[in-house]
Amino acid sequence: MTHLKQYAMSHKPILSHDGPIGVFDSGYGGLTILQQMQKRLPQYDYIYLGDNARAPYGTRSFDIVCQFTLQAVEHLFSLGCPLVILACNTASAKALRSIQQNNLPSIDPSRRVLGVIRPTAEAIGTISQNGHIGLLATPGTVRSHSYEMEIEKLYPGYKTTALECPMLVPLVENREHTSPGADYFVEKYVNQLLCADPLIDTVILGCTHYPLLEHKIKEAINRLAPNRHINVVCQGILTAESLADYLHRHPEMDQRLLKNASTQYLTTENPETFSTLASMFMDAKVAARHTIIN
């Protein structure tokens, strides 16, 4: 990641001031995280940034994801955000640690960047009864092994079985998540996961698109394992609770966050297209503006 260190060092430190919470995703899925933050912490200002022009991130290399994510974080910093949430599993898996350790000290050590994987992993210990965890996620997240590493670090001895689900994001983004085709792929993936470890008692939806398929995933689990109680874990509520706890423990950051209960939506792609699909994710009308990430 040497070139990323050089990239950050070439930028002058950004002056700190009060601002909104930045929420970043490569596309639309992070809106499910934002929605839960708005419910749990409605008083805060938010800026959502979707890098739709360069999505998807899941098939890209670690270095490219790190580069793109760092550029997005710096863009949100330039808009005044003291705190940025990577509401994207791929960015959290591939870029978060590098940005925290290698880039923030030279950009602005008073700002913070947090992700969605750690809050999810932390909650597993209070949800699973037997330590057998299933993960449904994109290929990029699965191949990063980030969930396995975080869960093992927090709960040694837990077994995490991860499954790549490459068809689920396209189904959601093409508005086919309520179709019979979605039923087919959801059942296929759930069956593969439960066969890989018949003792699984907790399934993590490790992609921020998957809450739109939560009902179908639960139905498939009930059909395939009718005599077992299997928890289904969505990240939005856990991330929002973790953020609330973080701000309670760090009042110095909380004091820097604007609280006008407003949200701005930015996209690097066509704002009309973004607004239409984002409205489906948010279950409310969304008006977005175009932005350029340098």
Side-chain angles (χ1 to χ4, degrees):
M1 304 299 176
T2 304
H3 66 290
L4 292 183
K5 291 183 182 180
Q6 292 172 343
Y7 174 85
M9 289 292 288
S10 69
H11 286 63
K12 294 180 181 179
I14 302 167
L15 295 177
S16 299
H17 52 82
D18 294 346
I21 297 171
V23 182
F24 170 70
D25 187 19
S26 59
Y28 298 96
L31 292 164
T32 63
I33 304 294
L34 172 64
Q35 186 180 53
Q36 294 302 324
M37 290 180 183
Q38 291 172 328
K39 289 180 180 179
R40 178 65 179 84
L41 300 164
Q43 69 273 33
Y44 293 89
D45 289 10
Y46 299 92
I47 295 180
Y48 182 87
L49 172 59
D51 190 11
N52 304 83
R54 300 190 291 192
Y57 280 17
T59 56
R60 296 186 182 273
S61 69
F62 270 73
D63 276 8
I64 292 299
V65 172
C66 285
Q67 178 184 333
F68 287 177
T69 304
L70 177 60
Q71 290 169 347
V73 166
E74 288 204 311
H75 188 63
L76 287 167
F77 283 172
S78 75
L79 297 174
C81 299
L83 171 66
V84 173
I85 308 298
L86 301 185
C88 171
N89 283 275
T90 300
S92 295
K94 295 184 177 183
L96 177 61
R97 188 168 306 233
S98 176
I99 290 172
Q100 289 175 330
Q101 295 179 353
N102 300 330
N103 305 114
L104 273 183
S106 58
I107 298 172
D108 184 343
S110 74
R111 297 185 190 240
R112 294 291 179 267
V113 181
L114 306 175
V116 293
I117 293 176
R118 179 80 181 192
T120 307
E122 287 176 341
I124 289 303
T126 63
I127 297 172
S128 176
Q129 298 297 310
N130 66 4
H132 286 258
I133 313 302
L135 172 69
L136 299 173
T138 63
T141 297
V142 170
R143 294 171 193 177
S144 75
H145 301 291
S146 294
Y147 275 95
E148 294 97 311
M149 290 187 290
E150 285 293 337
I151 291 172
E152 176 64 24
K153 191 186 309 177
L154 293 165
Y155 306 106
Y158 275 32
K159 178 183 178 182
T160 303
T161 301
L163 183 74
E164 298 180 10
C165 306
M167 289 302 298
L168 298 188
V169 169
L171 282 166
V172 171
E173 294 202 349
N174 286 285
R175 305 185 199 177
E176 293 290 333
H177 58 288
T178 60
S179 71
D183 290 325
Y184 169 80
F185 283 106
V186 165
E187 183 141 342
K188 174 185 175 181
Y189 293 141
V190 169
N191 185 55
Q192 289 177 352
L193 185 68
L194 298 183
C195 287
D197 181 2
L199 296 179
I200 285 173
D201 78 340
T202 301
V203 174
I204 298 171
L205 305 189
C207 172
T208 53
H209 284 68
Y210 294 0
L212 277 72
L213 293 161
E214 180 185 4
H215 182 66
K216 287 185 180 294
I217 291 169
K218 287 181 175 179
E219 286 184 338
I221 289 173
N222 289 334
R223 284 194 300 272
L224 295 166
N227 299 319
R228 292 163 54 193
H229 176 70
I230 298 177
N231 303 293
V232 175
V233 177
C234 287
Q235 297 174 296
I237 293 175
L238 299 178
T239 303
E241 285 297 331
S242 178
L243 176 59
D245 177 67
Y246 177 85
L247 294 176
H248 176 73
R249 291 184 291 106
H250 296 275
E252 74 286 354
M253 176 59 72
D254 183 65
Q255 291 169 7
R256 296 173 61 189
L257 298 174
L258 294 176
K259 302 176 180 68
N260 301 303
S262 71
T263 302
Q264 301 177 56
Y265 298 89
L266 303 177
T267 175
T268 57
E269 191 53 276
N270 183 290
E272 288 78 20
T273 301
F274 178 90
S275 297
T276 299
L277 197 51
S279 298
M280 178 187 76
F281 276 83
M282 298 298 289
D283 198 26
K285 188 175 177 61
V286 168
R289 293 185 292 109
H290 181 258
T291 192
I292 297 173
I293 298 177
N294 295 315

